[in-house]
Amino acid sequence: MLLESLINKATQLDGNTVAVAVAEDEEVIEAVIEALNRGLANFILFGDKEKINTILHGKHEHLNENNKKITVVHADTNALAAELAVRAVFNNEATVLMKGNIPTSNLLKAVLNKEYGLRTGSVLSHVAVFEVPDFDRFTIVTDAGMNISPDLEQKAQMIKNAASLARAIGIKYPKVAAIAAVEVVNPAMQATIDAAALTVMNKRGQISGCIIDGPLALDNAVSALAAEHKGIDSEVAGRADILLVPTIEVGNVLYKSLIYFAKAKVGAVIAGARAPIVLTSRADSAESKLYSLALAICSAAK
């Protein structure tokens, strides 16, 4: 189990603390409890202290109130909870930021704050790591939830974010496929032009620590047989670790297709900030939330 191995790896990394913004949510607390049971990290829960403790101890009586792995910090408003959680990471009191019961835009407002935020000057990008049935390797997709229509420079930074995360989970020299609808450069299709430019940038050392090829259609990126049939001779074709999609629509459809049609398992984070950010949603399974936490912890230790 590829993603299960990430949990095992994360449990071996000491000193990790997750700051949860607006933690008064049953599903978020369930993920926190499971992570504690697996020994992933310590947690600081920011939000309405009474509501958080009610959830923690109402349905999880086994939790000791003096449990040193959980700290609950009261915040009167969601905005203050987000600020305090981000400040905890900024001040090195936590190594991972996790979204609780708060809109993503509100959390990102705190993340991008010029005084205490987690900006690095890099593009923030969504990186999803899939365990796809019948595949013997991770499939990493970027970007399915952050950058709407990235330009060439943004795509270059998205690759850097994804490659850095790939290395953190054990892929030493990730292969990146710049995805398009066709395998040849077509001046009428911007995705093919950007893919070719990224490939040249990689060969010239402007993007390092990975190998990039494109444009590649999805089949040629992941299937060696499809690449052979098309006569594509490439170190990436058929062996891609990272799939760089051209727009958020492509990424979103691919992400959900892998989950609902292929029954893939997934963990995902926002990369490019000073610390990895876990953005869970109510549609995510408890298992997916746990994988995302493990991914973030492994990424924080890179």
Side-chain angles (χ1 to χ4, degrees):
M1 298 292 288
L2 294 171
L3 285 170
E4 189 67 25
S5 72
L6 283 190
I7 295 177
N8 296 334
K9 181 176 181 178
T11 60
Q12 299 170 21
L13 300 171
D14 296 327
N16 281 288
T17 298
V18 180
V20 185
V22 192
E24 55 267 31
D25 179 89
E26 180 67 35
E27 295 176 356
V28 170
I29 296 297
E30 289 283 358
V32 169
I33 295 297
E34 183 60 26
L36 285 170
N37 290 340
R38 300 291 291 268
L40 287 183
N42 298 333
F43 287 83
I44 309 174
L45 309 181
F46 296 91
D48 187 308
K49 190 170 185 176
E50 183 177 349
K51 290 181 180 179
I52 293 172
N53 282 329
T54 296
I55 299 172
L56 276 172
H57 303 297
K59 294 189 177 182
H60 307 285
E61 297 89 348
H62 63 284
L63 270 184
N64 187 321
E65 293 214 6
N66 296 318
N67 191 319
K68 295 182 179 179
K69 292 185 176 294
I70 295 182
T71 302
V72 180
V73 178
H74 181 72
D76 289 325
T77 66
N78 287 0
L80 179 58
E83 175 184 335
L84 293 175
V86 171
R87 282 186 182 273
V89 178
F90 181 83
N91 293 325
N92 296 318
E93 297 164 4
T95 50
V96 171
L97 178 65
M98 181 177 180
K99 172 183 174 289
N101 189 16
I102 181 175
T104 298
S105 59
N106 292 4
L107 180 62
L108 291 178
K109 182 177 179 180
V111 168
L112 298 176
N113 183 279
K114 291 182 180 180
E115 177 191 349
Y116 57 80
L118 308 179
R119 302 164 66 108
T120 62
S122 178
V123 167
L124 299 185
S125 57
H126 185 270
V127 185
V129 178
F130 287 92
E131 179 182 313
V132 182
D134 299 325
F135 267 61
D136 60 357
R137 63 182 186 272
F138 287 123
T139 298
I140 302 173
V141 176
T142 191
D143 181 331
M146 195 76 185
N147 294 282
I148 296 172
S149 185
D151 60 22
L152 179 63
E153 181 55 34
Q154 289 172 320
K155 288 177 181 178
Q157 292 191 39
M158 288 161 58
I159 289 174
K160 292 175 184 178
N161 289 347
S164 178
L165 185 144
R167 289 190 292 272
I169 63 174
I171 305 173
K172 293 183 179 180
Y173 201 64
K175 300 177 179 66
V176 182
I179 299 298
V182 295
E183 304 81 33
V184 295
V185 176
N186 183 334
M189 302 173 72
Q190 187 62 43
T192 67
I193 297 171
D194 287 351
L198 291 165
T199 302
V200 173
M201 290 169 71
N202 177 239
K203 289 180 178 178
R204 293 183 175 180
Q206 291 172 262
I207 307 173
S208 60
C210 61
I211 180 168
I212 304 170
D213 194 19
L216 289 172
L218 179 63
D219 55 346
N220 303 316
V222 300
S223 168
L225 183 60
E228 182 181 349
H229 284 168
K230 283 288 184 74
I232 300 172
D233 183 16
S234 160
E235 293 181 71
V236 175
R239 307 176 185 88
D241 302 299
I242 298 171
L243 306 177
L244 172 75
V245 298
T247 66
I248 198 171
E249 291 88 359
V250 176
N252 191 271
V253 170
L254 177 57
Y255 182 104
K256 291 175 180 176
S257 295
L258 287 171
I259 293 173
Y260 289 100
F261 293 146
K263 306 302 179 185
K265 298 178 180 180
V266 65
V269 300
I270 298 296
R274 283 181 51 174
I277 304 169
V278 178
L279 295 183
T280 60
S281 72
R282 291 187 179 275
D284 292 335
S285 66
E287 182 181 54
S288 180
K289 289 183 174 73
L290 190 64
Y291 291 146
S292 295
L293 277 166
L295 179 63
I297 290 165
C298 290
S299 178
K302 65 181 182 297

